[in-house]
Amino acid sequence: MKFVVFPLLTLLGVVATAVMWVNLFQVRPMFESTGISIIDWLWIDILWTLGSGIFSWALSRDISIWSTDTNLMDDTDKDHPLVHKVRHLAQEIGLKHLPMIGLYPSPEVNLFSAGPFPQRTVLSVSNGFLNLTEVEQSILIYAELAKIKNHDTALLVFCHGMTHGFVLYISRLLAFFLGTSFRQTEGSSSSTYPEIIVNIITTFFLTLGGSAVVFYLARRRHREGDRAVLAKYGQGGLAKELAALENTAATLEHYELFTIALKAN
């Protein structure tokens, strides 16, 4: 049921918000002057939103690997402690397919999973994650594997793709120009923080209804992971998980909104 309800609510939210902005800024006459009726525009909006979701869902694993510079482990790393840990926990939780495992170069303490299916998923952990205790690592990995097993990760990337793809060009264009104006030196890249701020604001307000659904879905996904931890490790394990995530706030780095939504914290 959730695979129908949440995508439908996200689609309705994105379309309803778009219609609201079209009416608010009186854009409808501009569409009609080009020969596009409001009905035609709505169908284009719906198809573009759905297409963005499918595109993000299908390529979510590759996008997350690319955006974080994740280094994937292969057969030469089969004896790595992280590989042993993930394989053992995947068997415990009942995952039939072991996700790809990778490390991304960052001091932050975090991990995330992405992929359209459990058999086409990557589990990426930061270099800083390896500084946690063995117990803390196991708890956080178990929570992430639970999200993969119940397809919450795939559902989130599909719904998030619908909201993000709809305003991708508008938000990135505004973010780039504002970020470029904040360059420290001539020839340097655009400032990261202005781009992030503008990207978040434009994505949120231009897809207000859909973003609200995605936010709820992301929180629900985390709660499902917490329930899995509680069932296996008890209240003490859940407390350790929440404490470990709380202590990561100061180390978090910034990536695309797509990747941020997938992270454990």
Side-chain angles (χ1 to χ4, degrees):
M1 181 64 70
K2 66 181 179 181
F3 301 109
V4 175
V5 173
F6 285 111
L8 182 59
L9 288 176
T10 304
L11 177 62
L12 290 176
V14 170
V15 172
T17 304
V19 170
M20 179 187 72
W21 290 120
V22 166
N23 290 328
L24 183 64
F25 291 103
Q26 299 181 350
V27 182
R28 183 171 180 172
M30 183 181 70
F31 285 136
E32 293 177 345
S33 67
T34 62
I36 300 177
S37 68
I38 193 66
I39 299 300
D40 293 335
W41 175 81
L42 280 175
W43 277 113
I44 294 172
D45 184 10
I46 292 172
L47 292 175
W48 179 269
T49 302
L50 288 174
S52 299
I54 294 172
F55 179 84
S56 297
W57 170 78
L59 298 180
S60 56
R61 185 186 69 175
D62 302 312
I63 292 174
S64 63
I65 292 173
W66 167 78
S67 64
T68 56
D69 289 327
T70 293
N71 297 311
L72 297 174
M73 295 185 173
D74 53 28
D75 292 338
T76 62
D77 301 301
K78 60 183 179 181
D79 293 325
H80 193 286
L82 180 62
V83 175
H84 281 294
K85 190 181 282 86
V86 173
R87 181 181 293 112
H88 172 71
L89 292 173
Q91 291 175 347
E92 280 197 5
I93 205 171
L95 271 179
K96 297 180 180 179
H97 301 276
L98 186 70
M100 298 174 68
I101 305 168
L103 286 169
Y104 65 93
S106 170
E108 71 173 9
V109 182
N110 222 320
L111 77 164
F112 67 89
S113 60
F117 303 108
Q119 59 266 39
R120 187 177 165 77
T121 301
V122 63
L123 176 66
S124 297
V125 305
S126 64
N127 289 334
F129 176 86
L130 300 180
N131 294 328
L132 295 175
T133 66
E134 292 294 320
V135 174
E136 289 173 331
Q137 289 183 27
S138 295
I139 291 173
L140 291 174
I141 290 173
Y142 189 84
E144 205 62 33
L145 292 176
K147 299 169 188 176
I148 295 174
K149 181 183 179 182
N150 58 26
H151 300 278
D152 280 347
T153 294
L155 180 60
L156 177 62
V157 297
F158 178 75
C159 293
H160 189 273
M162 284 198 287
T163 61
H164 191 55
F166 179 74
V167 295
L168 178 63
Y169 298 110
I170 298 176
S171 63
R172 292 305 296 167
L173 185 63
L174 292 174
F176 173 77
F177 282 119
L178 181 59
T180 301
S181 68
F182 279 85
R183 287 186 302 180
Q184 300 299 315
T185 59
E186 188 67 26
S188 65
S189 61
S190 55
S191 176
T192 301
Y193 288 100
E195 288 194 33
I196 293 170
I197 293 172
V198 174
N199 207 355
I200 291 175
I201 291 175
T202 52
T203 300
F204 179 75
F205 281 102
L206 293 179
T207 61
L208 187 61
S211 294
V213 177
V214 171
F215 177 79
Y216 172 80
L217 182 58
R219 300 314 307 168
R220 180 182 180 277
R221 173 175 174 266
H222 290 319
R223 288 196 299 271
E224 290 298 321
D226 293 343
R227 289 193 184 98
V229 169
L230 183 62
K232 177 174 174 58
Y233 296 96
Q235 193 65 44
L238 180 60
K240 288 182 179 180
E241 179 204 16
L242 298 178
L245 292 177
E246 184 178 352
N247 292 333
T248 67
T251 67
L252 292 182
E253 294 192 349
H254 299 287
Y255 298 95
E256 292 291 326
L257 292 177
F258 181 82
T259 305
I260 293 174
L262 293 171
K263 288 192 173 184
N265 188 19

